[in-house]
Amino acid sequence: MNLVHVARVGAAAGSAVLGVLAFHPFNQAWAAWVALIPIMLAVRHAGDGWRTGWLSGTLFSAGTLWWIGYVTPVGAALVCVYLGLYWGAWAFFWQRVCVAFPQTRSRDNLAAAILGALGWVGLDAVRGVLLGGFPWNKLAVSQYQNIAMIQVASIGGADMLTFLIVFVNGVAALTLVRFAREMQRQQKLRPHLDFSFCVGLVGVVFLWGVYQVGQKQGDTVPLRVAVVQGNIPQDVKFDAMQADGVVSCYKESTLLVAAYKPDVVIWPETAPGSVLFQDLMMQAALNELKREVEAPLLVGAIEYAGGCYYNAAFWVDKGIFLDGQWGQKSVYRKQHLLPFGEYLPFRKWMPWLAALVPLPSDYTAGQCMGVFPILADGGKVMAGGLICFEDVLPELSRQHAKAGAQLLVNLTNDAWFKSSPAAWQHASNAIFRSVETGLPLIRCSNTGVSCLVDGKGRVTDVLTDEEGKSVEVGGFLTGQIQVPVSPAETFYSRFGHYFPVLCFVGACFFGAWILSLRSK
């Protein structure tokens, strides 16, 4: 292996390490703004740029998604290799961009950086839909604690902030190239207007975010909520021999929160671990809760109907049974199922996959929006339900907002991944749904992170133990969240997922232009 190959491998590893540092558990948000510089410099004229990019993307994915191995080690390896392909495709694209623009003038550098960002966000759009979609950990998500910067998501979603991050990386990398040439007297020293424009753009986005955060909120309804975090291990959750302990855990926690007089009590995804309408033990527990708790109950549970299994959220008025039948109720069935977790793709054509992923049967996807009415002291509040991974999908939250939701509620179960960074990575992705729609968010998790988020993406309360630990802890979180009476429709809520589509189209046009030049 010659020095050139060593340098490329080092650049790939460097970008991967910086990328990993940007996300939980390290939370070094600054690293995202420079993470792509090593690979951008390494593949500018490299003939095998795609391999360098693929290696970097695979290493990055392994460093941020290793916890998938708790469920399926083989699947974790395949996911990392697959996600690395997007980095490889982008590195190949970036190489062609650098060849097309000489990087000697500010306008060339600006054009190259814009095209690089178009390509990255365009590939993110593909990643979000291909094979069921996996839009986890976009670069923007690394900034979830930078409340001012993430406000731009209300215009173009998380993708708009990702675009800015890649653009900054591109300008920085090309500025280094141009500066080195100027120091070596290979070209004249000129003002770096591209760098100045980049700094100015970041400043404008930040200041606009500060302004948005400081805007006075309209009329709101105070909603008292109680979130129960059972902390039931995955190997216990679905064990019929331990069902009594699971039911008792949720029943006792719910009785404890009754003194708070909440407007709603929320249990996490598949809380009982059984089919709700077939669970006599759970029916008895809910009948007992009728006498103690006045608040309605939102319960995550398995539903069996019409020969199909659904991952569902049941809205039950006061959580009661009447003569063996449910009282007033409605149900939201999860629409976006997780491949290899809730259904096995290609099961009919590749039955051997069942040996790698022990999934005895598939869930069925729901078809309808889940918007539930909650009666608070200040009036009725409409809540949009999201189950598990659905709070990572921006379009689904937008559809809830369009359907009249004033509040988003996510029920999830991250017990599969134990105390790994998965839980906080999941929560950081979900925070962007609040910014995009302008709606507050309640998250109720089995093992964490259960929290309350306002419409600007600020986490206002988190369930923790005495040591501040928020994952693999049990208990309940009570709090009050301000729900807008008439939520102002954000630009993103109105126009949707337009920005990544435009980026994809722009990148395709550039690719077509390059091909036309080569054919002449």
Side-chain angles (χ1 to χ4, degrees), residues 286-311:
L286 289 172
N287 269 322
E288 183 176 342
L289 290 175
K290 170 189 174 181
R291 296 186 293 270
E292 304 291 340
V293 183
E294 290 296 321
L297 197 66
L298 183 59
V299 181
I302 301 170
E303 180 191 23
Y304 182 75
C308 298
Y309 287 97
Y310 298 93
N311 189 351

Side-chain angles (χ1 to χ4, degrees), residues 225-513:
V225 300
V227 172
V228 179
Q229 184 168 300
N231 192 32
I232 309 298
Q234 195 64 24
D235 56 349
V236 172
K237 189 178 184 70
F238 297 102
D239 185 349
M241 300 298 294
Q242 303 192 59
D244 184 45
V246 173
V247 172
S248 296
C249 170
Y250 284 103
K251 182 177 73 174
E252 291 169 8
S253 294
T254 304
L255 290 172
L256 286 174
V257 303
Y260 178 71
K261 298 190 180 302
D263 296 312
V264 60
V265 179
I266 305 173
W267 292 5
E269 174 190 13
T270 58
S274 58
V275 178
L276 193 59
F277 294 129
Q278 298 176 6
D279 190 336
L280 297 179
M281 192 183 304
M282 180 56 67
Q283 292 180 21
L286 289 172
N287 269 322
E288 183 176 342
L289 290 175
K290 170 189 174 181
R291 296 186 293 270
E292 304 291 340
V293 183
E294 290 296 321
L297 197 66
L298 183 59
V299 181
I302 301 170
E303 180 191 23
Y304 182 75
C308 298
Y309 287 97
Y310 298 93
N311 189 351
F314 292 92
W315 174 261
V316 185
D317 187 19
K318 298 185 180 180
I320 62 173
F321 277 83
L322 299 174
D323 299 326
Q325 300 295 321
W326 283 93
Q328 297 179 29
K329 68 177 179 65
S330 57
V331 60
Y332 169 65
R333 295 166 175 169
K334 187 179 180 187
Q335 298 180 70
H336 191 99
L337 301 179
L338 196 60
F340 302 103
E342 292 169 316
Y343 76 97
L344 190 60
F346 317 117
R347 182 188 290 272
K348 292 182 180 179
W349 298 278
M350 291 185 281
W352 53 269
L353 282 173
L356 299 176
V357 183
L359 194 65
S361 60
D362 295 340
Y363 282 106
T364 301
Q367 302 297 325
C368 300
M369 289 290 102
V371 180
F372 308 108
I374 303 174
L375 294 179
D377 288 343
K380 184 171 68 173
V381 170
M382 301 303 294
L386 301 165
I387 299 177
C388 188
F389 181 73
E390 289 184 327
D391 63 351
V392 179
L393 308 171
E395 182 60 26
L396 195 54
S397 295
R398 174 179 171 265
Q399 290 173 9
H400 280 313
K402 298 291 282 185
Q406 301 162 264
L407 167 74
L408 299 174
V409 181
N410 174 238
L411 315 183
T412 190
N413 171 37
D414 289 330
W416 299 92
F417 311 115
K418 304 183 180 180
S419 60
S420 74
W424 264 109
Q425 286 183 18
H426 191 176
S428 350
N429 278 268
I431 284 170
F432 278 79
R433 308 295 82 81
S434 283
V435 183
E436 288 163 351
T437 60
L439 303 180
L441 167 69
I442 302 170
R443 296 191 82 245
C444 179
S445 177
N446 173 27
T447 56
V449 176
S450 296
C451 60
L452 307 180
V453 182
D454 72 9
K456 299 297 182 181
R458 293 172 292 204
V459 179
T460 58
D461 210 348
V462 183
L463 192 157
T464 60
D465 63 8
E466 295 81 359
E467 300 176 354
K469 184 181 176 184
S470 56
V471 180
E472 286 198 329
V473 297
F476 55 85
L477 172 67
T478 57
Q480 183 170 280
I481 193 164
Q482 298 296 326
V483 182
V485 175
S486 300
E489 188 177 37
T490 65
F491 193 88
Y492 177 82
S493 291
R494 177 173 296 182
F495 296 103
H497 222 45
Y498 71 95
F499 186 75
V501 174
L502 291 177
C503 289
F504 178 78
V505 172
C508 288
F509 270 115
F510 173 76
W513 176 63

Side-chain angles (χ1 to χ4, degrees), residues 203-214:
V204 168
V205 171
F206 178 79
L207 291 175
W208 181 81
V210 171
Y211 170 77
Q212 287 297 110
V213 172

